[in-house]
Amino acid sequence: MTALHPVALVGAGPGDPELLTLRALKRIEAADVVLADDLIDPRVLALVRGRLLRVGKRGGCISTDQQFIHALMVREAQAGHRVVRLKGGDPFVFGRGGEEVDALRAAGLDVEVVSGLTSGIAGPAGVGIPVTDRRHSAGVVLVTGHPGEGCREPDWAALARTGLTLVIYMGVARCAELQAQLLAGGLRADTPAAVVSAAHTARQRHAITTLADLPACIAREGLTSPALLVVGEVVRQAARDATALREVLRA
Ligand code: SAH
């Protein structure tokens, strides 16, 4: 029998438990204690058999200090418990997973990282957007719209010039500002754009529009965080079947 790592940093995927990896499911079921972010779908939390500790970090709600999360993981692991740190999507995509690995290693603990489906790829895919369709784009940029403390603001004008698909996490609140910078950087106003909110959850909603209309569309449709903004020609693929959407995107 292989020994379990003391702490597993597990990606829960975007929502639907069918999008968990088999390894994620095994670690969740075997855990004595699970420290879960607050973006985790209730259907995934229902799989937890051990103690469940909610340690959400979202603005506006009760948020747990990152240092406290580190200390809690270390304490539980040192007590001999099998610890799972459950994070939305992929633990190494905007999830502070790197910082948590550093803190655990600094405490002399071994860490297993269990990758998950990131919302920025699975979310668009769920509404028919292939983020790197070669007919439209040579690649995709996963970028934060809310860099926060200790993270440099992305060079939006430079990103606008790459011709790559932009998948913007945490971008809803600053959408108008990001749109202005991308337009100033040379992206056409009629560049297709999409918003996918609460992807792969019971509350999923999305909209397809253009870069020019993006902030107004978010307000009109009442689309809220957590959401991805997708900007680029690949968004046209989502519009294929819907006449109304073809109207919006008529070049
Ligand atoms: N590690 C996560 C991202 C964490 S940052 C991942 O790989 O997906 C949090 C941001 O991710 C949210 O603000 C939102 O932009 C995005 N996000 C996470 N889950 C989402 C979901 N189910 N639907 C849409 N966006 C989501």
Side-chain angles (χ1 to χ4, degrees):
M1 194 183 110
T2 31
L4 279 175
H5 290 264
V7 179
L9 212 58
V10 176
D16 188 335
E18 292 198 356
L19 298 181
L20 284 169
T21 65
L22 288 177
R23 188 173 296 174
L25 179 61
K26 282 184 189 167
R27 296 299 178 271
I28 291 168
E29 288 181 342
D32 297 309
V33 55
V34 173
L35 282 74
D37 272 350
D38 56 10
L39 274 185
I40 310 295
D41 194 285
R43 295 167 294 174
V44 173
L45 294 179
L47 300 168
V48 173
R49 296 172 177 171
R51 260 181 307 136
L52 173 63
L53 305 177
R54 307 291 302 272
V55 290
K57 288 197 59 68
R58 293 188 58 201
C61 347
I62 304 162
S63 125
T64 314
D65 179 72
Q66 190 68 32
Q67 298 307 320
F68 176 79
I69 296 174
H70 295 168
L72 193 57
M73 286 193 290
V74 169
R75 197 180 71 201
E76 291 287 346
Q78 285 173 343
H81 301 146
R82 279 167 302 189
V83 179
V84 160
R85 172 71 174 112
L86 191 58
K87 305 180 74 72
D90 183 275
F92 277 180
V93 179
F94 303 122
R96 297 202 184 206
E99 290 163 56
E100 295 184 4
V101 166
D102 282 354
L104 292 162
R105 289 201 181 131
L109 295 167
D110 202 2
V111 188
E112 179 190 27
V113 178
V114 180
S115 299
L117 277 184
T118 189
S119 59
I121 294 176
V127 300
I129 302 172
V131 290
T132 69
D133 189 317
R134 56 178 275 171
R135 295 165 296 178
H136 299 293
S137 140
V140 58
V141 177
L142 305 182
V143 62
T144 175
H146 179 80
E149 212 179 304
C151 179
R152 221 173 347 148
E153 180 73 28
D155 183 343
W156 295 101
L159 289 176
R161 287 191 295 271
T162 61
L164 302 175
T165 305
L166 303 180
V167 174
I168 306 172
Y169 293 64
M170 297 169 275
V172 170
R174 282 180 73 213
C175 178
E177 191 182 337
L178 305 181
Q179 175 218 37
Q181 297 209 37
L182 291 172
L183 290 172
L187 266 187
R188 289 169 51 134
D190 63 0
T191 304
V195 187
V196 188
S197 172
H200 297 287
T201 76
R203 292 166 291 109
Q204 170 168 322
R205 292 185 55 210
H206 79 284
I208 309 289
T209 183
T210 59
L211 182 57
D213 180 54
L214 193 56
C217 172
I218 288 173
R220 199 167 58 233
E221 303 282 331
L223 296 169
T224 53
S225 178
L228 287 319
L229 311 179
V230 188
V231 180
E233 294 297 322
V234 293
V235 170
R236 287 185 194 282
Q237 294 297 115
R240 279 282 147 80
D241 310 328
T243 320
L245 299 178
R246 262 203 306 276
E247 285 295 308
V248 173
L249 292 176
R250 207 172 36 205

